[in-house]
């Protein structure tokens, strides 16, 4: 068994229990902390970050090592950006919906039914407008290094969701994204902002009736166990922004370029596997007794229709040109 597969096996076991750090530093090296909120095994972000840590340790052997804190064991997404600015962690990769306090630019990723595939998101991140977003929070002490792709988000609830009106009156867990809150409100439902670590408990105890997330999050978080079923709405694409601080980048000195090249390489490799990870998670939900509801074209069109007005509300903050480019229009 290789060192990496051993790591993934232990990570798989650890993903269902609290875990402090996933990669051990031997002592003596400079420790770089990467904090995130999801599982490791079977998760596009968890596996990418684990691989980054492994290769970082090889590349900077003896001088620096990376400790990964997965499953919200160090900071929730609400706290991690503050921690980054204080130097308590050096790296994080929150969902783009978690940056509203620092920039409105990232909201474009969350507009419902704008992106419909990994390829569409990737194409946007490679445009001038997409690249500009990486540095849009520099004034707040946050630098974007690159992107991690997860997949399309799906709605689930404690009763079957087929038509948008089935969601009316229910309470759904929301991220802190204003776009997501508006999207849920457009269903005549109530958004309740909760940290990712709280979602399973909130669904189980009825604090909320439903949630929306990707197949890999719904599977690794076991949300399907405490829901009636998951409806394949494919309403948003979950993208993560890998962030660091200018102080950390400056402190790397001559290693700066080698580090950013490594991040680019590992994220490209794992982004190419994100679709397969989500497909596997979708199948695993079914294999474990969860219900997956597919929508007809007509049923899905009704969800698009109800949520489309959300775009108008955020157009001024995001910028019409950015929305046009993201929609596959002009560059
Ligand atoms: C969520 O809070 O729903 C997700 O952003 C969690 C994650 O990092 O995938």
């Amino acid at each position: 068994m290789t060192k990496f597969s051993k790591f993934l096996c232990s990570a798989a076991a650890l993903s269902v229990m609290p875990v402090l750090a996933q990669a051990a530093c031997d002592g003596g090296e400079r420790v770089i902390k990467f904090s995130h909120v999801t599982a490791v095994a079977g998760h596009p972000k968890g596996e990418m970050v684990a691989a980054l840590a492994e290769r970082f340790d090889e590349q900077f052997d003896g001088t620096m090592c990376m400790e990964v804190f997965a499953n919200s064991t160090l900071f929730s997404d609400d706290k991690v950006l503050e921690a980054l600015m204080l130097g308590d962690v050096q790296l994080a990769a929150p969902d783009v919906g978690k940056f509203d306090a620092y920039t409105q630019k990232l909201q474009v990723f969350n507009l419902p039914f704008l992106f419909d595939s990994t390829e569409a998101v990737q194409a946007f991140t490679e445009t001038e407008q997409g690249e500009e977003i990486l540095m849009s929070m520099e004034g707040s002490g946050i630098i974007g290094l690159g992107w991690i792709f997860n997949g399309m988000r799906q709605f689930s609830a404690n009763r079957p969701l087929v038509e948008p009106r089935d969601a009316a009156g229910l309470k759904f867990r929301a991220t802190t994204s204003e776009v997501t809150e508006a999207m849920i409100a457009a269903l005549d439902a109530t958004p309740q902002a909760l940290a990712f670590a709280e979602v399973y408990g909130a669904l189980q105890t009825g604090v909320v009736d439903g949630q929306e997330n990707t197949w890999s999050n719904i599977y690794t978080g076991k949300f399907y166990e405490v829901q009636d079923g998951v409806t394949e709405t494919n309403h948003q694409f979950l993208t993560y922004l890998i962030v660091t601080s200018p102080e950390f980048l400056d402190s790397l000195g001559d290693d700066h370029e080698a580090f950013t090249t490594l991040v680019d390489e590992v994220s490209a490799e794992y982004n190419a596997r994100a679709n397969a990870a989500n497909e596997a998670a979708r199948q695993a939900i079914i294999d474990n007794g969860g219900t997956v509801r597919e929508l007809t074209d007509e049923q899905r069109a009704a969800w698009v229709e109800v949520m489309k007005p959300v775009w108008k509300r955020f157009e001024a903050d995001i910028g019409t040109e950015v929305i046009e480019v993201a929609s596959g229009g002009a560059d």
Side-chain angles (χ1 to χ4, degrees), residues 37-38 45 95 98 153 173 175 196 213 217 238 240:
V37 301
T38 68
K45 175 164 64 179
D95 162 349
K98 311 272 175 85
R153 295 179 86 115
R173 177 267 173 164
T175 65
F196 186 65
N213 225 310
N217 272 339
L238 173 51
Y240 305 107

Side-chain angles (χ1 to χ4, degrees), residues 5-21:
S5 53
K6 262 192 214 152
F7 172 71
L8 283 181
C9 286
S10 60
L14 290 171
S15 68
V16 291
M17 63 176 88
V19 47
L20 286 178

Side-chain angles (χ1 to χ4, degrees), residues 121-186:
V121 180
Q122 176 151 0
F124 173 63
T125 59
E126 289 168 359
T127 63
E128 192 186 320
Q129 289 77 3
E131 283 180 1
E132 271 172 17
I133 293 178
L134 292 175
M135 299 308 285
S136 63
M137 293 174 285
E138 195 181 6
S140 303
I142 300 171
I143 306 267
L145 291 174
W147 311 94
I148 305 175
F149 301 146
N150 188 322
M152 301 305 300
R153 295 179 86 115
Q154 324 295 343
F155 270 94
S156 72
N158 54 12
R159 70 181 192 210
L161 299 175
V162 178
E163 304 286 344
R165 63 172 169 268
D166 297 330
L170 299 184
K171 194 183 268 189
F172 285 89
R173 177 267 173 164
T175 65
T176 48
S177 158
E178 283 177 37
V179 175
T180 295
E181 286 181 2
M183 190 181 77
I184 292 170

